[in-house]
């Protein structure tokens, strides 16, 4: 995996915390607890006598009008901790509480910037609370019991008033089962328990806010409706779970929020929600309350996507970086173009480079700060659902890149979230990622493992994703990955294996396959770790497929050599068959191979422009016939000569009439379309990808000729003969072994066809089998596929 390293932890601009007087209007017309709204104006008392201050409250110890006593204000350590944002149970102090022996009901409220606060009961009675200073107000009403409902009338310095529900009158809105599963690290739908959840609670509509911060002294909620001042909204701790909770009545979808965390050292930090399902568009960093109303239309696809095991099915993948495929398009606009393009070219799947929210665009999405939120750069979560839905309706599967290997150090995100190493490992030797300036997850911590496992399920379940390509698996498996001697700590057995990461990957794969039938997980794993695609119950990691990085590297080395030197590298093309059945492989020509000076695929080829395009076509023909599934990055399907740039995307102008000559870039794209068409129609190319019975060399040692020939077989034994000539000369009457039982062979694909830009050297008509095999005409720098005539 090669991608830009962030120059430093970037802290994009964030909403500014203010301590100015309360605002004079509610944002976007929502109900608000801090912003007085004119339509909510209420008298705090009956009309006063002339010259009397309408909000004046008699000072203590004077009794209230009904003779009820004024309750003791919050004092001592409780007051200090409450005002400092360090109280674990603010609900025990704030809200309504019955006094002993029928002494009435005590009310307390924390409203910074308020001038006066009154309680409004269900029968309309209003009683002013005493100002205890520092935004605290208290009073006693002569009520027999705590009322089922009441509201607070709050007046501010500018004279505005607001009538609002008291968030501290509500019981905890998170159940014991949820808390138990969080503690155990077994909550497979964690996004339903943590984060911001729009809901109805005790008959009131609002939003439940929950966050896991076990080492925090205190947590407060801040949002756009509080001017990012969290002093008035302390959250309560829900015991040993480490979860903090607050139900906010009247807060609905679209509200911006963060959590103000007080760490063990007393330091305050304003943090985005790790479980946010929607975010502001970067560089802004707030989380956004959201709930989905999307109605899916892909029922047929979802019901049948798992009918055939993926390793026995066609699997041809077009890799896409959504922001740059057609720069400027939103999710919904992409949904009008991408499915049609991919379907026309015959790919079975698209693979989307990471779509989770990330602050630094040149990271291409591989440095994630919001694992549960599709990037807001292209639209809303429901907009992303629409794109997936349209791809499914076009018969195209959707795989997304998933990055559980590391996360950035931004101080508003996951790093030292509660003031301690929480998501990252506490040992810097296991937390610091040396390649990317990021942090690695602590896979041994149950809650962290749960956060990631549930996230994998979330994308598959909530967005109908068909597969997860797991990034940088090797960096997770080895404790010494990219580390020098002395810079890493061995495991408990003295080895370099990260057994915590192994157990995490096994749990993730087992959970995803159990909960989401038809989904496939794909490992980007660049080493020879044994059993990556072996089932977990047999000791493997449990992935469905693995990128064949060895094949990719070796074959690109071969084709980059001048043809006269290729005979010295012949084994680079044949070695893959030594281990081809050790795993279930995907052959990737990904974004990593066409950036950072590596050149585009066509530009890796030697020779003049014609020879480069011919080599490009021959290589694709070889790749599509080789055992394993295949993946091709955008732009390579029409032989773009320049490296990919995330700022500009593919060079689509190369396909315009002004730049088109017969068989040029359009010809290469036509070849990819025909490769996929023939591939899907010939089961020999995919049905037995993972068993040796599906392959046989016809000619594997013709190093001097730069020729490779092999036979692929389907489950019924029907063959396909693939022959690649990587020399720039025509080879007439070239003799090859061919399997018995086939009297004649016919070309089904020839990458030298004129319509692709080739010289149109063909085998006209059926090629009859002779006693010693077949004799073919091999076009230069070309691959030919033949099937029984």
């Amino acid at each position: 995996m090669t991608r830009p390293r962030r120059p430093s932890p970037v802290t994009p601009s964030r909403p500014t915390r203010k301590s100015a007087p309360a605002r004079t209007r509610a944002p976007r017309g929502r109900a608000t607890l801090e912003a007085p709204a004119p339509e909510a104006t209420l008298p705090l008392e009956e009309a006063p006598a002339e010259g009397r201050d309408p909000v004046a409250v008699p000072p203590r110890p004077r009794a209230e009008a009904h003779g009820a006593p004024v309750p003791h204000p919050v004092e001592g350590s409780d007051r200090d901790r409450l005002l400092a944002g360090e109280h674990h149970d603010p609900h025990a102090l704030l809200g309504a509480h019955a006094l002993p022996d029928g002494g009435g009901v005590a009310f307390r409220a924390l409203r910074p910037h308020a001038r006066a606060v009154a309680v409004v009961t269900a029968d309309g009675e209003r009683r002013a609370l005493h100002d205890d200073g520092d935004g605290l107000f208290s009073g006693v009403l002569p009520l027999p019991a705590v009322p089922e409902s009441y509201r607070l009338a709050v007046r501010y310095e500018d004279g505005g008033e607001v009538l609002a529900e008291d968030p501290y009158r509500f019981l905890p809105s998170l159940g014991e089962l949820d808390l138990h599963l969080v503690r155990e690290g077994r909550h497979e739908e964690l996004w339903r328990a943590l984060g911001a959840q729009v809901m109805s609670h005790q008959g009131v509509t609002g939003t439940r806010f929950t966050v896991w911060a076990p080492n925090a002294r205190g947590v407060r909620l801040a949002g756009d409706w509080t001017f990012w001042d969290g002093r008035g909204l302390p959250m309560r701790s829900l015991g040993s779970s480490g979860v903090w909770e607050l139900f906010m009545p009247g807060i609905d979808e679209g509200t911006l929020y963060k959590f103000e965390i007080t760490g063990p050292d007393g330091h305050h930090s304003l943090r985005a929600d790790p479980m946010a399902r929607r975010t502001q568009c970067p560089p802004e960093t707030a989380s956004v309350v959201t709930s989905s109303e999307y109605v899916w239309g892909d029922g047929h696809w979802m019901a049948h996507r798992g009918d055939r095991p993926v390793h026995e099915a066609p699997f041809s993948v077009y890799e896409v970086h959504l922001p740059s495929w057609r720069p400027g398009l939103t999710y919904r606009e992409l949904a009008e173009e991408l499915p049609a393009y991919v379907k026309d070219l015959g790919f079975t799947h698209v693979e989307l480079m990471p779509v989770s929210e990330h602050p630094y665009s040149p990271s291409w999405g591989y440095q994630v700060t919001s694992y549960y939120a599709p990037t807001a750069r292209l639209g809303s979560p429901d907009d992303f659902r629409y794109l997936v839905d349209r791809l499914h309706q076009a018969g195209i599967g959707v795989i997304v890149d998933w990055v559980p290997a590391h996360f950035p150090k931004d101080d508003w995100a996951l790093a030292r979230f509660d003031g301690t190493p929480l998501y990252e490992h506490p040992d810097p030797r296991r937390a610091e990622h040396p390649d990317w300036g990021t942090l690695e997850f602590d896979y041994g911590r149950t809650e962290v493992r749960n956060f990631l496992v549930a996230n994998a399920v979330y994308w598959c379940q909530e967005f109908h994703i068909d597969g997860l390509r797991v990034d940088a698996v090797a960096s997770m498996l080895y404790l010494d990955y990219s580390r020098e001697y002395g810079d890493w700590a061995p495991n408990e057995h003295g080895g370099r294996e990260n057994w915590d990461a192994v157990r995490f990957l096994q749990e993730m794969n087992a959970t995803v396959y159990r909960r989401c039938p038809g989904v496939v997980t794909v490992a980007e794993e660049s080493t020879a770790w044994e059993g990556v695609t072996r089932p977990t119950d047999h000791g493997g990691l449990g992935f469905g497929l693995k990128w064949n990085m060895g094949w990719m590297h070796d074959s690109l080395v071969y084709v980059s050599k001048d043809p006269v030197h290729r005979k010295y590298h012949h084994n680079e093309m044949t070695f893959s068959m030594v281990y081809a059945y050790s795993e279930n492989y995907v052959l990737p020509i990904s974004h990593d191979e066409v950036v950072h000076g590596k050149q585009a695929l066509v530009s890796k080829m030697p020779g003049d422009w014609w020879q480069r395009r011919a080599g490009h076509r021959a290589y694709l023909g070889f790749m599509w016939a080789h055992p394993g599934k295949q993946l091709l990055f955008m732009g390579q399907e029409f032989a773009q000569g320049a490296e990919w740039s995330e700022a500009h995307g593919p060079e689509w102008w190369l396909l315009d009439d002004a730049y088109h000559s017969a068989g040029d870039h359009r010809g290469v794209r036509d070849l990819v379309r025909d490769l996929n068409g023939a591939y899907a129609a010939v089961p020999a190319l995919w049905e037995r990808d993972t068993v040796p019975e599906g392959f046989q060399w016809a000619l594997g040692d013709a190093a001097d000729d730069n020729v490779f020939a092999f036979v692929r077989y389907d489950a019924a034994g029907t063959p396909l003969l693939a022959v690649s000539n990587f020399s720039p000369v025509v080879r007439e009457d070239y003799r090859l072994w061919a399997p018995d039982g086939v009297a004649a062979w016919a070309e089904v694909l020839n990458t030298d066809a004129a319509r692709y830009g080739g010289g149109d050297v063909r085998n006209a008509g059926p090629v009859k089998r002779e006693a010693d095999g077949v004799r073919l005409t091999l076009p230069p720098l070309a691959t030919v596929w033949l099937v029984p005539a």
Side-chain angles (χ1 to χ4, degrees), residues 116-432:
V117 177
V119 174
V120 181
T121 58
D123 60 6
E125 181 184 4
R126 296 173 176 82
R127 292 300 304 269
L129 301 182
H130 190 275
D131 185 352
D132 297 326
D134 298 317
L136 284 165
F137 297 83
S138 63
V140 172
L141 268 63
L143 300 173
V146 174
E148 291 186 3
S149 66
Y150 65 90
R151 288 183 288 180
L152 299 177
V154 185
R155 179 176 297 172
Y156 294 91
E157 293 293 337
D158 60 4
E161 299 168 359
V162 64
L163 184 66
E165 296 278 359
D166 182 2
Y168 296 95
R169 77 172 182 85
F170 294 92
L171 298 171
S173 52
L174 194 62
E176 285 298 323
L177 177 59
D178 285 314
L179 293 173
H180 171 75
L181 293 174
V182 170
R183 284 192 297 267
E184 294 291 315
R186 298 292 180 184
H187 205 307
E188 295 176 359
E189 293 187 340
L190 189 65
W191 66 94
R192 301 191 189 280
L194 300 182
Q197 189 78 31
V198 178
M199 62 186 301
S200 179
H201 180 49
Q202 294 179 215
V204 176
T205 300
T207 297
R208 179 189 67 206
F209 294 92
T210 46
V211 63
W212 178 62
N215 303 308
R217 282 191 188 178
V219 181
R220 298 189 286 201
L221 179 65
D224 55 352
W225 76 99
T226 72
F227 284 104
W228 304 101
D229 183 346
R231 289 179 296 167
L233 296 175
M235 302 175 69
R236 67 176 144 206
S237 170
L238 297 180
S240 61
S241 66
V243 174
W244 301 75
E245 179 264 359
L246 183 65
F247 175 74
M248 286 299 302
I251 297 300
D252 57 7
E253 186 169 3
T255 301
L256 307 181
Y257 72 97
K258 283 189 176 184
F259 297 112
E260 184 185 280
I261 308 289
T262 305
D265 61 356
H267 175 73
H268 293 257
S269 62
L270 203 56
R271 300 282 183 152
D273 183 0
M275 301 293 300
R277 289 174 287 129
R278 186 175 180 181
T279 69
Q280 279 187 298
C281 187
E284 301 300 331
T285 61
S287 304
V288 184
V289 176
T290 189
S291 60
S292 176
E293 299 178 357
Y294 189 77
V295 179
W296 289 90
D298 62 349
H300 183 268
W301 171 271
M302 295 295 288
H304 294 284
R305 67 180 180 179
D307 286 353
R308 182 190 290 268
V310 68
H311 62 282
E312 298 176 357
F315 192 85
S316 179
V317 184
Y318 183 58
E319 187 188 22
V320 177
H321 179 251
L322 281 178
S324 69
W325 186 74
R326 293 282 191 181
L329 297 189
T330 65
Y331 290 128
R332 288 187 177 267
E333 291 167 340
L334 285 163
E336 302 306 315
E337 297 193 26
L338 183 61
Y341 184 79
V342 176
K343 185 177 181 65
D344 174 63
L345 291 186
F347 288 98
T348 65
H349 291 74
V350 294
E351 180 175 313
L352 308 180
M353 290 167 68
V355 296
S356 299
E357 193 59 271
H358 52 283
Y360 185 57
S361 294
S363 77
W364 310 333
Y366 290 96
Q367 295 191 10
V368 178
T369 47
S370 295
Y371 276 80
Y372 285 78
T375 179
R377 293 170 175 87
L378 306 181
S380 71
D382 276 355
D383 292 338
F384 179 65
R385 287 181 173 93
Y386 179 77
L387 172 59
V388 175
D389 200 358
R390 289 294 299 271
L391 285 163
H392 283 172
Q393 292 175 40
I396 300 162
V398 181
I399 300 166
V400 297
D401 275 14
W402 187 54
V403 193
H406 63 124
F407 59 92
K409 297 180 179 179
D410 300 76
D411 62 6
W412 51 268
L414 295 179
R416 296 186 63 87
F417 182 77
D418 64 357
T420 68
L422 187 63
Y423 288 92
E424 65 271 38
H425 201 281
D427 186 342
R429 294 172 297 175
R430 296 181 67 169
E432 294 284 339

Side-chain angles (χ1 to χ4, degrees), residues 39 109 122 195 230 232 268-269 289 310 367 411 462 480 497 551 587 615 638 738 750 764 766 789:
E39 64 271 19
H268 293 257
S269 62
V289 176
V310 68
Q367 295 191 10
D411 62 6
E462 291 293 315
D480 63 345
E497 301 85 0
W551 172 89
L587 312 180
F638 58 85
N750 185 327

Side-chain angles (χ1 to χ4, degrees), residues 469-650:
R469 178 267 193 184
V470 183
D471 183 66
V473 171
S475 73
M476 302 164 64
L477 293 175
Y478 298 98
L479 296 170
D480 63 345
Y481 184 88
S482 286
R483 292 177 171 89
E484 300 296 331
Y485 178 78
D487 293 337
W488 60 279
N491 62 34
E492 60 270 28
H493 305 296
R496 64 193 187 110
E497 301 85 0
N498 187 342
W499 297 118
D500 290 337
V502 169
R503 287 186 284 269
F504 154 67
L505 291 170
Q506 291 174 327
E507 181 181 346
M508 181 277 297
N509 281 312
T511 304
V512 166
Y513 279 105
R514 171 171 51 82
R515 292 188 61 100
C516 308
V519 166
V520 62
T521 59
V522 185
E524 185 211 22
E525 204 284 310
S526 55
T527 74
W529 185 281
E530 185 180 358
V532 172
T533 58
R534 187 187 304 152
T536 56
D537 57 357
H538 287 73
L541 296 183
F543 285 94
L545 298 169
K546 171 183 172 175
W547 275 19
N548 193 335
M549 311 293 282
W551 172 89
M552 176 272 298
H553 177 269
D554 292 346
S555 62
L556 290 179
V557 167
Y558 178 87
V559 297
S560 68
K561 302 299 182 181
D562 190 277
V564 73
H565 300 302
R566 283 175 175 167
K567 63 182 179 180
Y568 303 111
H569 299 273
H570 194 78
N571 65 316
E572 305 279 5
M573 294 287 268
T574 60
F575 181 67
S576 60
M577 293 311 303
V578 173
Y579 61 86
Y581 306 108
S582 61
E583 303 282 1
N584 303 333
Y585 282 116
V586 175
L587 312 180
I589 299 299
S590 73
H591 65 277
D592 274 336
E593 307 316 314
V594 296
V595 292
H596 301 327
K598 294 183 180 180
Q599 302 181 301
L601 180 59
V602 70
S603 298
K604 298 177 191 290
M605 307 295 168
D608 59 24
W609 180 233
W610 190 94
Q611 290 175 319
R612 288 185 173 190
R613 284 187 291 111
H616 181 99
R617 296 192 304 269
Y619 182 79
L620 293 180
F622 176 83
M623 172 181 174
W624 254 250
H626 191 284
K629 314 308 179 182
Q630 56 274 332
L631 174 143
L632 189 66
F633 183 59
M634 63 185 194
Q636 313 315 300
E637 78 275 16
F638 58 85
Q640 172 179 312
E643 289 188 345
W644 168 61
S645 164
E646 78 275 358
H648 306 295

Side-chain angles (χ1 to χ4, degrees), residues 67-81:
V70 176
H72 293 293
V74 180
E75 293 179 334
S77 63
D78 276 336
R79 183 186 184 96
D80 293 341
R81 288 188 293 131

